[in-house]
Structure formats: C-alpha cells, structure tokens
Amino acid sequence: MLSRRERIAVEGFLLALFVAAGGWVAGTQGYGRTAQVLLCTSLLIGLVTAYRTVMDGLVLTRTPVSPRIPVSEEVRRHAARQAGLDPDA
C-alpha cells in the first residue's frame, strides 16, 4: 500500500509521462504545435506534481508569540525622559 505522498507522486509522474508520450507521437506525425503544447503541459504537470509531493502533509502555522519581557524600570524612565514626560509619573 502506497502512502498518500507516494500515490500523488506516482499518479502525477505517470500522467506527465503519458502526456509527454502523446506529445512525442504528435511530433512524429507532423503535428508540431500540438506536440509543443503537450510537451509543455507534461512539464507543467511534472512540476506541479513535484511541488504537491513535497508540500503534502506539511502544515504551515504561525510560530506562537513568545511572552514579552517586561520593561525594566530604568528603561521606562529613560523612555519617559526622551519623550519629555515626567519619569516619575
């Protein structure tokens, strides 16, 4: 039994391979534009499959906010003096 990530990779790359094979056949039959579209599509499918395979199962979460360090009395008084306020208020 394949894992979800392995199944995504196998199915995606097989699809890309079949589309590329269709592009190759179209190219050998003289359908140049169709071959180009199919080969570019297979490349896109391969890239999307690679991205999905890597990103599957990853949970992007924000890091928890760390507790703020309380401001020391000296820093508070200095900031009040810089702002032109009474530091003893």
Side-chain angles (χ1 to χ4, degrees):
M1 180 57 94
L2 295 175
S3 71
R4 177 180 159 85
R5 181 176 287 188
E6 291 168 341
R7 191 171 34 91
I8 289 172
V10 168
E11 290 174 357
F13 289 126
L14 280 176
L15 177 63
L17 181 69
F18 288 137
V19 172
W24 180 79
V25 169
T28 59
Q29 298 297 322
Y31 297 103
R33 178 64 82 182
T34 304
Q36 182 181 7
V37 168
L38 287 174
L39 291 172
C40 289
T41 303
S42 71
L43 176 63
L44 183 63
I45 292 169
L47 291 174
V48 168
T49 300
Y51 175 80
R52 284 189 62 209
T53 302
V54 169
M55 296 305 286
D56 181 63
L58 295 181
V59 179
L60 303 176
T61 60
R62 293 178 53 186
T63 57
V65 178
S66 60
R68 295 191 57 132
I69 300 171
V71 178
S72 69
E73 184 65 25
E74 180 182 352
V75 171
R76 188 191 65 75
R77 291 173 63 88
H78 177 70
R81 279 194 302 274
Q82 290 292 323
L85 303 173
D86 182 17
D88 296 322

